[in-house]
């Protein structure tokens, strides 16, 4: 093989030769007044002779380069040359033999299809960081070269293979990837530990949720959801998304979720909860913002009352398959400050399904966000079954895969339409109360008749009547009209609630022996499983208590 001729076809050789010719042909001209250019020192007669690049023999160069070099020619890739570095790495290789048998290391690396491609196309190709049988990693560059004048077709064409040892770089990259995997695993573990390990299941709702971490390295973010039973049959539902990725976003999410649960215990309207959360988010990290939607379901109102801080709209599918999208109000994300949030509502009648979700479910880089929400609406319109089935169908319809580039959190809730024997376990009764001395006896008689018709045992009947009497008496003494008594039973509990027009919330206090009042709430707190109070929209308050039903009452 003529290495001098083959080297003339290596990339860059012709360019360098042309540059040297141009420099030789250009005389050293200096105009009048110009600054003399710096010139290299001319070699003296005593200086050792340095050969020009053109005078160097290609084989001498290739023999001394640290890269592994092999030359194969012909359609069956017969070995024409291997340099010393190649021999040191893989041993002596016989010249003239077919490379497929004589260079098994290239076969193990899957390079022969690449050699065929380079020989056919006449274009160089490179494959990065392949691990060879010797345990080292190499980047291979295959360059087409032609023997003689290059007119011999494929028989006169060969391939020069350069293999650069990149083991150190490959190991450093692998260490980096391992570190990123550990960081991501830590973030995923933290994220999942901060999410509810088991969703609360309210009496009147059926709920399911799912969380899918982003599939890219360190893509875990701060998506979260929560279900909080507020007492009195009411339930708070939360979904949020902390901007950013990694452990920091997950940690901020955990703080916000804990704060939401604490604020929810105050039983405030949704917009007031977000107002408190907004201030806390700014204190946690002024540079970290989050979106959040907070909704409250009251089975007696047949709707979701919600407030949104920059979050995507809640979707509700009614029993006929029509999907509604929650409209305004929507405020800015949490942590921005200076905004007064407001509450809105969307119907949630029996038979309806509501979906709360984060942007990873509907946002795509190549599509408008509204298109993603519209696609989710269409998927929800045809989604039936249990909340978990609906949840899974929505995730599949959105094309969420293990390598999805963003976190996805979805919360699905259903308000079942109960009929027959199941419907008998969910009953309501209400009485409008007028002031005067007859209000308390009338309320007690009403409660006694209702609890008897619901077939409660005698002890639970008597406790319910006593609690009704104390709550009504407290409202008559400290509240203002209009007053209303409401009794509700579910498959798990009896709920007694009294509302009036005064917004002063009662509190449990210890009555002294000589006090003539102050014992009513203490009595209710003692006999009931739970009790509480809250302010109602438009002014006024509601005071309620609950009694857990015996198992025989829930079957």
């Amino acid at each position: 093989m003529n290495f001098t001729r083959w080297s003339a076809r290596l990339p860059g050789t012709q360019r360098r030769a042309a540059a040297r010719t141009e420099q030789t042909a250009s005389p050293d001209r200096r105009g009048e007044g110009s600054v003399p250019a710096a010139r290299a020192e001319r070699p003296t007669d005593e200086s050792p002779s340095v050969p020009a690049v053109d005078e160097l023999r290609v084989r001498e160069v290739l023999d001394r380069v640290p890269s592994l070099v092999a030359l194969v020619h012909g359609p069956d890739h017969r070995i024409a040359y291997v340099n010393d570095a190649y021999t040191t790495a893989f041993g002596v290789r016989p010249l003239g033999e077919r490379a497929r048998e004589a260079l098994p290391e290239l076969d193990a690396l899957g390079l022969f299809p690449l050699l065929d491609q380079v020989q056919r196309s006449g274009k160089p190709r490179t494959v990065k960081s392949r691990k060879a049988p010797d345990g080292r990693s190499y980047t291979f560059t295959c360059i087409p070269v032609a023997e003689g004048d290059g007119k011999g077709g494929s028989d006169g064409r060969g391939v020069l293979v350069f293999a650069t040892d990149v083991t150190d770089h490959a190991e450093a990259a692998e260490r980096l990837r391992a570190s990123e995997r550990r960081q991501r695993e830590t973030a995923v573990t933290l994220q999942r530990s901060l999410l509810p390990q088991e969703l609360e299941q309210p009496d009147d709702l059926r709920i399911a949720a799912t969380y899918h971490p982003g599939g890219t390295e360190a893509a875990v973010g701060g998506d979260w959801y929560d279900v909080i039973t507020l007492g009195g049959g009411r339930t708070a539902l939360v979904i949020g998304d902390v901007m950013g990725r990694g452990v920091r976003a997950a940690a901020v999410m955990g703080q916000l979720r804990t704060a939401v649960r604490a604020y929810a215990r105050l039983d405030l309207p949704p917009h007031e909860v977000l107002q408190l959360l907004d201030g806390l988010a700014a204190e946690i990290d002024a540079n970290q913002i989050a979106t959040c939607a907070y909704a409250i379901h009251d089975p007696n109102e047949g709707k979701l009352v919600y407030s949104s801080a920059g979050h995507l709209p809640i979707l509700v599918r009614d029993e006929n398959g029509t999907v509604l999208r929650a409209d305004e109000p929507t405020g800015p994300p949490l942590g921005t400050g200076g905004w007064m949030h407001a509450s809105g509502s969307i119907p949630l009648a029996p038979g309806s399904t509501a979906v709360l979700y984060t942007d990873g479910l509907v946002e795509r880089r190549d599509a408008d966000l509204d298109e993603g929400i519209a696609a989710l609406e269409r998927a929800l319109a045809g989604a039936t079954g249990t909340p978990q089935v609906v949840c899974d169908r929505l995730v599949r319809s959105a094309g969420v895969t293990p390598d999805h580039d963003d976190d996805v959190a979805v919360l699905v809730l259903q308000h079942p339409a109960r009929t027959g024997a199941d419907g008998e376990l969910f009953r309501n009764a209400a009485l409008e109360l007028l002031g005067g001395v007859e209000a308390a006896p009338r309320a007690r008689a009403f409660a006694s008749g209702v609890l008897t018709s619901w077939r409660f045992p005698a002890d639970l009947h008597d406790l319910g009547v006593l609690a009704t009497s104390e709550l009504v008496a407290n409202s008559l003494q400290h509240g203002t009209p209009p007053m209303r008594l409401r009794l509700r039973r579910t498959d798990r509990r009896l709920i007694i609630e009294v509302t009036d027009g005064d917004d002063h919330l009662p509190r449990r206090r210890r009555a002294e022996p000589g006090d003539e009042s102050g014992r009513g709430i203490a009595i209710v707190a003692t006999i009931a499983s739970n009790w509480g109070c809250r302010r109602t929209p438009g002014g006024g308050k509601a005071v309620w208590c609950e009694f857990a039903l015996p198992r025989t009452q829930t079957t």
Side-chain angles (χ1 to χ4, degrees), residues 8 12-26 53-54:
T13 304
Q14 296 168 340
R15 258 193 328 272
R16 290 191 294 271
R20 285 193 299 272
T21 302
E22 182 179 350
Q23 291 172 1
T24 304
S26 300
V53 173
D54 286 342

Side-chain angles (χ1 to χ4, degrees), residues 59-290:
R59 179 157 189 160
E60 292 179 0
V61 175
L62 296 181
D63 279 341
R64 288 169 173 76
V65 295
S67 298
L68 280 60
V69 180
L71 176 65
V72 297
H73 70 94
D76 53 356
H77 307 304
R78 293 187 178 274
I79 304 174
Y81 167 77
V82 292
N83 72 344
D84 292 343
Y86 197 106
T87 301
T88 301
F90 297 115
V92 177
R93 294 294 184 260
L95 301 182
E97 297 293 329
R98 294 180 60 197
R100 191 172 294 275
E101 289 80 22
L103 302 178
E105 58 277 359
L106 298 187
D107 194 17
L109 291 165
L111 289 183
F112 284 109
L114 185 66
L115 295 180
D116 293 336
Q117 181 183 5
V118 170
Q119 191 176 61
R120 287 194 305 268
S121 66
K123 297 179 180 179
R125 294 288 187 271
T126 298
V127 292
K128 296 182 178 180
S129 192
R130 293 277 182 93
K131 181 170 283 190
D134 65 348
R136 310 289 293 177
S137 294
Y138 298 91
T139 289
F140 289 87
T141 299
C142 300
I143 304 170
V145 292
E147 181 182 6
D149 58 4
K151 298 179 181 178
S154 60
D155 291 339
R157 182 174 291 168
V159 180
L160 193 62
V161 180
F162 286 88
T164 305
D165 192 330
V166 294
T167 304
D168 292 341
H169 296 285
E171 291 177 350
E174 179 56 35
R175 287 193 297 270
L176 178 60
R177 287 192 294 270
S179 175
E180 291 174 345
R181 285 194 297 269
R182 287 192 297 271
Q183 181 181 6
R184 183 176 184 276
E185 290 168 0
T186 300
V188 170
T189 302
L190 176 61
Q191 174 87 341
R192 292 194 182 279
S193 67
L194 294 173
L195 291 173
Q197 302 305 300
E198 185 175 351
L199 286 177
E200 297 182 27
Q201 294 292 338
D203 298 4
D204 293 273
L205 298 176
R206 296 295 175 262
I207 300 178
T210 187
Y211 169 72
H212 293 267
T216 56
E217 300 295 338
V220 177
D223 293 17
W224 93 91
Y225 54 81
D226 210 347
V227 178
I228 309 165
T229 53
L230 302 177
R234 302 166 74 248
T235 306
L237 305 123
V238 193
I239 194 146
D241 184 2
V242 177
M243 304 304 171
R245 294 289 182 267
V247 175
R248 177 60 182 168
V252 172
M253 176 274 287
Q255 295 178 74
L256 292 179
R257 176 177 176 254
T258 301
V260 169
R261 294 191 69 87
Y263 295 147
R265 299 304 177 191
L266 300 176
D267 214 342
L268 300 171
H271 65 276
E272 293 188 23
V273 171
L274 291 190
Q275 207 70 49
L276 293 171
L277 204 60
D278 180 48
L280 179 65
E283 293 179 9
I284 293 175
D285 189 340
N287 298 318
Q288 192 89 48
I289 63 174

Side-chain angles (χ1 to χ4, degrees), residues 295-309:
I296 294 177
H297 174 255
D298 188 331
N300 296 292
E301 296 178 357
K303 61 184 178 181
L304 277 178
V305 179
Y306 68 91
S307 185
S308 175

Side-chain angles (χ1 to χ4, degrees), residues 291-328:
T291 63
C292 181
Y294 182 92
I296 294 177
H297 174 255
D298 188 331
N300 296 292
E301 296 178 357
K303 61 184 178 181
L304 277 178
V305 179
Y306 68 91
S307 185
S308 175
H311 205 77
L312 299 174
I314 300 171
L315 302 181
V316 176
R317 176 189 184 273
D318 65 20
E319 58 183 349
N320 298 318
T322 303
V323 177
L324 301 177
R325 183 188 299 192
D327 296 324
E328 301 291 343

Side-chain angles (χ1 to χ4, degrees), residues 313-360:
I314 300 171
L315 302 181
V316 176
R317 176 189 184 273
D318 65 20
E319 58 183 349
N320 298 318
T322 303
V323 177
L324 301 177
R325 183 188 299 192
D327 296 324
E328 301 291 343
T330 298
L334 302 175
T336 56
W339 181 269
M340 294 300 295
H341 292 274
S343 293
S345 65
I346 187 170
L348 189 72
S352 298
T353 300
V355 179
L356 292 78
Y357 52 97
T358 56
D359 58 3

Side-chain angles (χ1 to χ4, degrees), residues 466-541:
L466 176 58
T468 299
S469 178
E470 295 298 335
L471 292 180
V472 170
N474 183 78
S475 181
L476 290 171
Q477 182 174 359
H478 301 288
T480 59
M483 301 178 187
R484 192 167 187 259
L485 168 66
R486 184 167 65 188
L487 287 83
R488 175 172 174 78
R489 71 152 296 164
T490 71
D491 59 344
R492 306 176 202 174
R493 71 198 79 233
L494 165 66
I495 303 168
I496 302 170
E497 182 181 84
V498 176
T499 60
D500 64 57
D502 185 83
D503 63 359
H504 177 73
L505 300 180
R507 59 185 178 88
R508 183 179 181 181
R509 63 186 180 89
R510 181 175 181 178
E512 298 297 330
D515 292 343
E516 297 182 359
S517 63
R519 294 182 174 84
I521 295 299
I523 292 173
V524 171
T526 300
I527 64 175
S529 305
N530 193 16
W531 80 280
C533 57
R534 70 180 186 279
R535 290 186 173 88
T536 55
K541 66 176 179 293

